[in-house]
Amino acid sequence: MNKIPVAVALAAMLVLPGCNEPPPTPPEARPVWLEQNWTAEQRQWYHHVSQGTATLPVPYKWFMALEEPALRPLGQPALFSSSAYLRRWGFIDSPVGPGNPGGLPVGFAIDEQHRDPNTGKVSQAIGLTCAACHTGQLRYKGVSIRIDGGVATIDLPGLAAALGMAVAFTEYVPGRFDRFARRLLGDDASLQDRQRLKGEVSATLAMFQHLKSLDDTVKDQSIAEGFTRLDALTRIGNQVFGLSADKPANYRPTNAPVKYPHVWTTPWFDWVQYNGSIMQPIVRNAGEALGVVASVNLAGPAETRFDSSVPIDTLHRIEQQLAGPAHPTAGQAFTGLKAPRWPEELLGAIDRQKAAKGQELYVRHCQNCHLPPIASPAFWDPRRWATLPGSETAYLKLKLVPISHVGTDEMQARALAERKVDTRGMGLNTTLWTPDAGKWTDCSPMPSPLTDGAELPYGAALGAVVQHTVQRWYERNNTPPDLRRAMDGDRPNCLNAAMAYKARPLDGIWAAGPFLHNGSVPDLMALLSPLAERPKRFHLGNAEFDPLRVGPVTAPFEGGFELDTTIAGNSNRGHEFDDAPSGTRGVIGPRLTPDERAALVEYLKSL
C-alpha cells in the first residue's frame, strides 16, 4: 500500500475531530482601519499583548516551523504560520512590529517566559489574546474594513484541529520531520538532538490524541461551532474544571455556541456576557484568559494552589484602554474604544430621509430595551447610571430580558444555570456576591462561603476559582488595597445565572453581524423580518459584506460553515416583529412592512 495514504489516514485518526479543509485564501484587499479613538500604537499593543496563554499547545518556534496539513505532490506545503494559510481560518494580517516579530495575524501573542505553576517548566508559548476574538473585518469591493473590538470571523476549533493534523503529518508523512528538524535544529544537528525532537513530536501528538478522546466522550451531544462562533462558556469550564483540575468527568459537550461579541463601551456596563452573568471586569478577563489556556495550579502542589500564568496587571491595562481615561458621563461621551461609524466613502451614503423615518420606528420599537442612542441627551440621564455596592463609580444599567419574553435560543443561559462541576480537592473557600431577587444591580454576599463540593453550580465555582486566582496574584505581587480596588473595577465579584439575555446599546450594530447571541440571523434585514422569512440555513466564514441587508454575505462557498438553525443551540427564533396575540413568546413588536424594515435598517447604520 502507498505510504502517503496510510500516513494521512493515521493522522486523521489521531487529531481533534472536525478538521475540515478551510476555504481558499481570500484575495488580497486594501486594509482600512476605521477611526475608533485608538492610536496605531494602542492598536498594535492590543493586537499582540500576551494574557499569559498557551492556547496553541506547541512552542512558538514549533508553530513557526510546522507545515500546513496538506499534500503537495508538486512542491512543499506552505508553513502553517504563513499569513495566506491563517487567513483561510478567518484571521487578519498584521505587520511585523512590537510583540509580533514573526508577523503573525491579529490576536496571536508570544509569552516569552510562560511558567506552568504545576510543573515549574518555563517555555516560549504562543497563545491568543483578546484581539483574536474581538477584532472584525468586512470586505467590500476590494477593501478590508477592519474594526477593533468587533466580531471575529475566525474558526478557532478548526484551527486547533488543523494544528493537530500538522503535528500528525510531521510524525507520519515522509520528509515532513526532516524539514521540520532542519528549521529548528539546523543542518548540522546531531542524531541525539534529532531523536530528542522526534520524541517530543510523538509526545505532543499523544497529547492531541488525549484531547480527541475527551471530545469523543461528548461528541454525540455537541454541535458544530464553525466560523464566527464558539461555545466559550462551555469551553472555559472544560479547560478549567476538566483539564486544569484533571477531572475528566467535568467535561461537557459544546452545545451552546455564541458569536464573538463586540466589546466597545463594554467596560461601562453593569453586567457583561450575553446572559448578564458577570459584574467584575478582572474576574471576567482572568476567566477568559484561563479559558484560552493560561496555566493555573488546580491539581498540583497545594502550597502554590491558584498560582497562574495570568498577568493581572496586563489585563487591567487592556480594560483601561477599552474603557478610556475618563468617566463617560463627565463629557457625555465614551473616551476609550468607540463604536465604528458607517464609512460612507466605502459602503455608500446613508439615506438621511429614510433614516429619519427609521428613527421614529427605533423610538417606538427598540429604545425601551436597547436605550436611547448614545448621541442623545436621554442616554446620559443620570437615572440610567447606577453605583454598585461599595462603589463610588456609576455604571450603565442594562436591561436583562427574560428568555420567556424575548424567546431566543436558551442553550447559552442554560449552560450556566444548569451545569454542575466537581471541585473536590481544589481548595475553594471564598465569598461571592449574588443579585438580590429581581434587582440586578443590588448585590449581597452569599449567606455562607463557597467551598469545595461534588456538584457545585458551575457559575459560582468558576467565579470562585477565578477570584482565588486573582487574589493569589495580588498577594504574590504585594498589590496595595487601593490598586486592588481599581483592578477590580471598583465593584464586587457579583455573579448572576438568570435565564435572561442583556440588551445593550446599538452603537455600531451595523458592524456586528451575524445577529442574535448565537449568530443565527445573518443580517439586520432578516432580524427585523418575521421568523418565516429568516433563512433556516446559511453559510458563515465569508467576510464579504452586504451593505443593503447589513450583514455578511452568506451564500454557500467552498470550505464555508453551514449553520443549521433547526438544531437546538442554533435556533433563530425570538426577537421577532410579527403580528401575534399579546404575550406571545418571542414576539417583541408588530410586523414591519418592507419599507419600515428598510427605514429602520438605514437608521441603525447611523448609530
Side-chain angles (χ1 to χ4, degrees), residues 112-163:
E112 295 286 358
Q113 294 290 316
H114 182 87
R115 181 181 179 276
D116 186 334
N118 297 283
T119 64
K121 180 181 178 181
V122 177
S123 63
Q124 187 185 39
I126 180 169
L128 298 182
T129 193
C130 307
C133 300
H134 305 298
T135 307
Q137 65 170 330
L138 312 172
R139 298 169 65 94
Y140 186 68
K141 292 186 176 181
V143 176
S144 173
I145 302 168
R146 298 179 177 180
I147 301 164
D148 279 310
V151 179
T153 58
I154 63 174
D155 180 357
L156 185 53
L159 177 76
L163 181 61

Side-chain angles (χ1 to χ4, degrees), residues 187-377:
D187 293 331
D188 300 326
S190 67
L191 178 61
Q192 182 179 9
D193 285 344
R194 287 173 57 87
Q195 289 176 334
R196 174 186 51 79
L197 181 61
K198 185 73 170 177
E200 291 172 350
V201 170
S202 298
T204 301
L205 190 56
M207 178 271 299
F208 274 104
Q209 187 176 15
H210 172 64
L211 293 175
K212 178 183 182 298
S213 69
L214 287 174
D215 278 310
D216 282 347
T217 64
V218 296
K219 68 179 182 180
D220 290 342
Q221 303 169 65
S222 295
I223 63 173
E225 294 149 296
F227 286 94
T228 314
R229 309 192 315 156
L230 190 76
D231 186 353
L233 195 59
T234 297
R235 287 186 177 275
I236 288 173
N238 288 349
Q239 177 62 40
V240 172
F241 296 107
L243 297 175
S244 296
D246 194 22
K247 291 179 177 289
N250 281 331
Y251 219 74
R252 294 292 183 273
T254 50
N255 58 10
V258 298
K259 72 168 184 177
Y260 298 107
H262 54 294
V263 297
W264 50 80
T265 65
T266 296
W268 295 108
F269 297 166
D270 56 356
W271 292 96
V272 295
Q273 309 294 49
Y274 283 115
N275 59 342
S277 55
I278 301 178
M279 179 176 285
Q280 192 180 90
I282 201 64
V283 164
R284 175 226 311 158
N285 295 333
E288 176 266 334
L290 294 178
V292 289
V293 202
S295 298
V296 61
N297 172 19
L298 298 180
E303 61 271 18
T304 58
R305 189 59 46 88
F306 303 112
D307 274 1
S308 77
S309 62
V310 181
I312 299 298
D313 50 351
T314 298
L315 298 189
H316 177 54
R317 183 180 167 191
I318 293 172
E319 186 75 7
Q320 286 182 308
Q321 183 167 304
L322 287 166
H327 195 285
T329 58
Q332 295 194 355
F334 292 100
T335 61
L337 182 67
K338 293 186 177 183
R341 303 292 295 181
W342 176 273
E344 294 187 87
E345 71 281 6
L346 298 174
L347 297 178
I350 294 173
D351 185 328
R352 303 295 168 180
Q353 185 175 2
K354 188 182 291 186
K357 296 178 181 177
Q359 183 176 12
E360 297 173 2
L361 293 166
Y362 180 88
V363 171
R364 197 180 314 155
H365 300 303
C366 310
Q367 185 166 298
N368 182 53
C369 289
H370 290 287
L371 305 183
I374 66 169
S376 67

Side-chain angles (χ1 to χ4, degrees), residues 374-450:
I374 66 169
S376 67
F379 180 86
W380 301 101
D381 186 326
R383 291 172 295 183
R384 299 191 186 280
W385 298 75
T387 55
L388 303 171
S391 170
E392 299 176 357
T393 306
Y395 292 93
L396 182 65
K397 295 188 292 184
L398 299 185
K399 188 168 185 175
L400 287 174
V401 185
I403 296 174
S404 58
H405 173 62
V406 73
T408 48
D409 192 287
E410 63 185 29
M411 294 297 286
Q412 202 265 346
R414 286 177 57 189
L416 191 70
E418 298 177 0
R419 184 175 181 177
K420 306 292 184 183
V421 291
D422 178 4
T423 70
R424 288 174 295 181
M426 291 186 195
L428 298 185
N429 185 15
T430 191
T431 298
L432 304 175
W433 295 59
T434 55
D436 293 340
K439 299 179 181 179
W440 304 119
T441 55
D442 294 344
C443 293
S444 303
M446 294 176 68
S448 59
L450 187 104

